[in-house]
């Protein structure tokens, strides 16, 4: 999918690719936890939360700058929610919450360790 974030160089991680044209590809097997906070997981917000979580992960791992790209990622979340059926009021509320509380989640200091289940 095309996103409004265009890094200076192509980014390729195990589960997320983002090229210099803003083409984001989240690979099969990527794990995310749906929307954060009190926002319920619904069919209408899961696609937006997937893209948003992938972009924030790239910020946490210093592939893209949170200072430059957090606001566009938050705006994209709002836009995608509305496209998928979230009301304008709810999408605007989610956006305001992201702007107020989301900064730590985009910070490299909040980098999360990946855990894998053992193979049977």
């Amino acid at each position: 999918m095309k996103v409004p974030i265009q890094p200076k160089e192509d980014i390729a991680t195990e589960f997320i690719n983002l090229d210099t044209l803003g083409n984001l590809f989240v690979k099969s097997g990527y794990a995310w936890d749906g929307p954060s906070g009190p926002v319920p997981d619904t069919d209408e917000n899961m696609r937006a939360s997937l893209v948003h979580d992938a972009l924030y992960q790239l910020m946490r791992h210093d592939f893209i700058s949170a200072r430059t790209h957090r606001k566009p990622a938050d705006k994209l979340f709002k836009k995608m929610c509305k496209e998928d059926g979230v009301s304008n009021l709810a999408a605007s509320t989610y956006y305001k919450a992201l702007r107020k509380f989301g900064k730590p989640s985009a910070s490299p200091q909040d980098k999360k360790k990946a855990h894998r289940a053992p193979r049977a």
Side-chain angles (χ1 to χ4, degrees):
M1 99 165 288
K2 188 83 162 173
V3 298
I5 295 172
Q6 299 175 329
K8 292 179 183 169
E9 296 180 1
D10 290 348
I11 299 166
T13 72
E14 183 177 3
F15 292 106
I16 305 166
N17 291 351
L18 178 61
D19 70 21
T20 58
L21 299 175
N23 295 303
L24 177 70
F25 181 73
V26 181
K27 301 174 192 173
S28 178
Y30 180 74
W32 83 105
D33 60 357
S36 299
V39 179
D41 295 354
T42 67
D43 291 344
E44 292 79 19
N45 63 25
M46 289 304 284
R47 182 177 72 105
S49 73
L50 168 67
V51 170
H52 191 262
D53 280 12
L55 292 171
Y56 265 47
Q57 183 173 337
L58 292 178
M59 291 177 216
R60 277 193 307 277
H61 288 267
D62 279 328
F63 288 107
I64 57 177
S65 165
R67 179 181 297 233
T68 305
H69 301 299
R70 190 170 78 83
K71 189 170 187 177
D74 294 349
K75 284 183 176 182
L76 179 61
F77 177 83
K78 177 182 176 182
K79 177 180 180 277
M80 291 177 70
C81 281
K82 289 170 56 174
E83 288 173 354
D84 291 349
V86 173
S87 73
N88 187 53
L89 177 61
S92 294
T93 301
Y94 298 164
Y95 173 77
K96 289 175 187 172
L98 284 170
R99 297 306 306 150
K100 185 170 184 177
F101 302 111
K103 187 175 182 177
S105 295
S107 171
Q109 286 77 28
D110 197 42
K111 190 183 304 182
K112 297 178 178 43
K113 182 174 171 34
H115 298 281
R116 296 183 184 271
R119 295 190 185 261

